[in-house]
Amino acid sequence: MAASYDDIYARSLSDPEAFWAEAAEDIHWERRWDRVLDDSRAPFYRWFPGAVTNTCYNALDRHVEGGRADQLALVYDSPITGVIERFTYRELLDRVARVAGVLAEAGVGKGDRVLVYMPMVPEAVIAMLACARLGAVHSVVFGGFAASELAVRIDDATPKVVLSASCGIEPNRIVAYKPLLDEAVDIATHKPDRCVILQRPQEAAAMVAGRDLDWADAEAAAEPAPCTWVEATDPLYILYTSGTTGQPKGIVRDNGGHLVALNWSMRNIYGVEPGEVYWAASDVGWVVGHSYIVYGPLIHGNTTVLFEGKPVGTPDAAVYWRVIAEHNVKVLFTAPTAFRAIKQQDPNGELIQPEQIAGLRTLFLAGERADPDTVQWAEDRLGVPVIDHWWQTETGWSICANPAGIELMPVKHGSPTKPVPGWDVRVLDEANNEVAPGEIGALVARLPLPPGSFPTLWQAEDRYREAYLEEFPGSYKTGDAGYIDEDGYVYVMTRTDDVINVAGHRLSTGQMEEVLAAHPDVAECAVVGVADELKGQTPLGLLVLNAGVEREKGAIEGEAVRLVREQIGPVASFKTAIVVGRLPKTRSGKILRGTVQKIADSEAYTVPPTIDDPAILPEIAEALRSAGYAGG
Ligand code: COA
Ligand code: AMP
């Protein structure tokens, strides 16, 4: 009989080294590890020190050598351009080796950083794997970020080379990436030696002589590069994510632990066998795209789908079902917001043709809280298990899930089920004590974290310790609050910091406040995340103007909205700023953002006992009501 979740989970915690050493047998190691886990620098841990491997070798070469050369590795489906392209493992390896050759010729070697700023085209996947092939460290930046955000990442990661494209394509417009890249390089202090630009047919980019290379020409002329062996503990990538300040956190992923964890997750969490088609409808700019568009499926020998489109509007709310049918997708992974978008346009699921989704086995949701209505709708319409699972950029794979490949446990709507093997999840109060079942507290995971989770922040070990390890000694602070019920099911309710989740995208309200505060007429401001039917949350800004400013409020509000779009990017979905007379504060001057959010969402709230002047709350409610928020 197959082992149960309880048995496997218990073993993963009682003997993690044996557990992960066994999982590591499925990976190619050029040299095996000296120890499975190095805890000599706790609370900093390293998995598989002494081992030597290569992530690209495990994702491509070993499958080509092992009999999968002619199996599809990657299917690119782009309803936005009308293109479908298919790559076998052999074809993908050939392209990756050539692009690695381009990078090597540009001087990129082991440990060098390469910034990838790409739309959802096959070359984005090729770029990432080409870096991995050379032991170079990629940092992918999502296309919806503005030039200044790109510049911050260029300065932090100091890449030798940038891989980019002339444009991305959104349903309502072509987004010219190259001018954004040029502007970012202008703003940044660090200057990359080379930019390799993929010219897309939809828009040609102007090239900077002496710095820019045409991707197609360079690839055609390049010699294929072999794999460079790296330490298991060497970094594979840096992925920046929003934190509590304007300076994003550079999440570091290692090679060895990441290979082991992702490979294990494909069978045990997602329940797919090598050779099957797996589709993560996300973007390579997010962690979901890194782990489950690129690395997980390829390391495990699956076929991965790269989808350049939206759940609705490209061309309609039936596109997911068409893709599932056309490519024989067994497992789909997306964010709840995508299903809310589909449900909004096709509430009765009339566009879902049963024969199109007959092959689909499971739907996985993550990236934000999966609201029970959406989960129920998906269950009813698709007739397959719908699995909410909880994870973060930091962790790289899921902390809690219903592990389809081990055992499907009964679903409780609103809960991502139970901790995944390797994750010792607890709920703590402020004094670092565990709370009773059902009581809300800080969600933490006991150290050491399993393989695949981040060993550090890029060149910011102190920040890693301060942000994640100090508040609850012996544990990793997830930044989420929630509870565990009597049956051991985990519920993730809210963030404990300023992070909001907009359409599955993680953003910092603090960062938006920094941008707004720089407006010359703004004295102070507050940004809160208010409930949104489609996107889960959207940001709302309140502005207090400097004394004596007599300009029209509407003009300043419009400028504020433009500023956030220009400085952070359209992805922030910052559409509303409201000028108010003053902000509600505590007597010690802390802005009561939580109360503002509750008023905007018409939630019941108590007047905080520490409030400086309660009379301000009706004023805020009135301002919010006039701007179309409930304000009750
Ligand atoms: N490059 C440039 N701009 C981008 C972009 C990219 N790669 N991705 C998004 N944007 C822009 C959009 O065009 C939009 O701009 P606008 O304000 O001019 O309309 C803005 O950023 C917000 O985009 P988005 O959050 O995608 O909202 P939307 O209204 O266009 O679409 C959904 C809403 C729900 C359909 C969309 O968010 C979606 O498909 N989500 C799927 C979930 C997902 O991918 N989650 C990732 C984590 S798993
Ligand atoms: P990101 O780092 O962008 O993946 O965002 C991680 C954050 O998204 C988490 O800390 C949670 O706040 C939220 N999140 C992700 N998945 C879930 C989930 N299944 N349920 C609730 N919140 C989630």
Side-chain angles (χ1 to χ4, degrees), residues 61 103 153 359 364 382 432 453 458 502 513 569 615 630:
D61 303 61
L103 290 172
R153 287 152 175 80
F364 283 84
L382 301 185
N432 203 15
S453 41
W458 180 248
V502 181
E513 289 179 3

Side-chain angles (χ1 to χ4, degrees), residues 9 12 19-20 23 47 237 251 253-254 257-270 278 287-288 290-292 296 333 366 389-401 403 406 419-423 449-454 476:
Y9 183 69
S12 77
F19 185 89
W20 292 113
W47 286 96
Y237 70 74
I251 305 298
R253 197 79 57 209
D254 66 9
H258 181 244
L259 278 164
V260 172
L262 291 193
N263 189 60
W264 184 90
S265 73
M266 291 302 293
R267 177 170 283 139
N268 290 282
I269 295 179
Y270 299 101
Y278 180 96
V287 68
V288 173
H290 281 60
S291 294
Y292 294 111
F333 174 177
H389 61 327
W390 168 52
W391 52 298
Q392 310 179 304
T393 308
E394 286 85 345
T395 67
W397 63 297
S398 51
I399 311 167
C400 284
I406 297 176
V420 165
W423 290 95
L449 300 184
S453 41
F454 69 142
Y476 160 69

Side-chain angles (χ1 to χ4, degrees), residues 241 286-287 365-370 388-394 416 478 480 492 495 501 504-506:
T241 190
W286 307 113
V287 68
L365 298 175
E368 55 172 327
R369 193 175 141 74
D388 172 22
H389 61 327
W390 168 52
W391 52 298
Q392 310 179 304
T393 308
E394 286 85 345
T478 64
D480 284 312
V492 183
R495 290 287 303 193
N501 212 305
H505 310 321
R506 172 165 158 183

